[in-house]
């Protein structure tokens, strides 16, 4: 029997409409540390006086800090095995757009929604697309994103 056919007949490991969400909060120290560790020397991430003189008037998180948390949420959620199904996950592509600054000490809601799922025989797994956002509660999104991921059953 063709093993690819067997995998296609099994239910998808991810479903259209599936969501995941996490709330994060960056302190000024978190923002400064992340900027330093990643080599981002933009003073808007650590210098209060420079940030106050700038457009937003306050320390802001780097875009890569917020998007790293968003990608981490997607990777953690879609590689989970809490339903007894061991998974292998690869994040293939993410694109982000920055709509508003992320300030320290705000609750930021990270959210992903599965938009489409299809079997990919060449890759041997389920290829799926997610739409996401990071937003301050009850406000407009600060970051929006789209991603393409691949998930398949783990082989022992």
């Amino acid at each position: 029997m063709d093993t690819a056919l067997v995998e296609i007949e099994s239910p998808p490991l991810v479903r259209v409409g599936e969501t995941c969400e996490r709330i994060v909060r960056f302190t000024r120290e978190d923002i400064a540390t992340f900027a330093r560790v990643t080599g981002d020397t933009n003073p808007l991430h650590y210098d209060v006086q420079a940030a106050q003189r700038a457009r937003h008037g306050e320390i802001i998180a780097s875009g890569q800090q917020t998007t790293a948390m968003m990608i981490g949420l997607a990777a953690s959620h879609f590689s989970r095995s809490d339903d007894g199904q061991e998974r292998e996950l690869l994040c293939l592509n993410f694109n982000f757009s920055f709509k508003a600054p992320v300030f320290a000490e705000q609750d930021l809601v990270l959210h992903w929604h599965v938009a489409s799922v299809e079997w990919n025989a060449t890759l041997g797994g389920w290829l799926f697309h997610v739409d996401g956002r990071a937003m301050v509660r009850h406000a407009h999104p600060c970051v929006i994103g789209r991603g393409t991921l691949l998930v398949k059953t783990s082989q022992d």
Side-chain angles (χ1 to χ4, degrees):
M1 179 179 269
D2 182 1
T3 58
L5 183 58
V6 171
E7 288 190 60
I8 290 173
E9 291 174 355
S10 67
L13 298 171
V14 63
R15 298 194 184 282
V16 170
E18 184 174 344
T19 64
C20 57
E21 195 167 275
R22 176 184 299 155
I23 298 173
V24 298
R25 176 181 280 254
F26 304 137
T27 66
R28 283 183 172 180
E29 294 77 27
D30 294 336
I31 292 169
T33 298
F34 188 91
R36 182 179 43 77
V37 167
T38 59
D40 185 341
T41 61
N42 183 341
L44 296 181
H45 306 314
Y46 61 86
D47 184 330
V48 174
Q49 291 177 339
Q52 287 173 343
R53 288 189 306 269
R55 176 179 176 202
H56 301 299
E58 180 57 73
I59 296 289
I60 60 173
S62 68
Q64 64 184 340
Q65 185 169 11
T66 304
T67 59
M69 295 299 289
M70 291 177 73
I71 292 170
L73 169 59
S76 295
H77 178 77
F78 295 110
S79 67
R80 73 193 186 285
S81 60
D82 60 351
D83 60 358
Q85 181 66 57
E86 296 292 326
R87 295 168 172 82
E88 292 178 15
L89 178 83
L90 290 174
C91 296
L92 302 178
N93 181 53
F94 282 95
N95 292 300
F96 294 99
S97 180
F98 303 100
K99 301 298 185 181
V102 173
F103 297 107
E105 305 304 338
Q106 292 180 318
D107 284 341
L108 192 65
V109 180
L110 310 179
H111 178 88
W112 287 109
H113 174 266
V114 177
S116 67
V117 179
E118 65 184 58
W119 174 255
N120 186 297
T122 303
L123 297 174
W126 297 98
L127 193 64
F128 64 103
H129 303 280
V130 292
D131 294 319
R133 66 183 181 272
M135 62 187 293
V136 176
R137 285 188 190 269
H138 311 295
H140 61 279
C142 299
V143 178
I144 58 173
R146 299 206 78 192
T148 303
L149 301 93
L150 173 71
V151 64
K152 56 174 125 179
T153 304
S154 291
Q155 305 297 321
D156 293 330

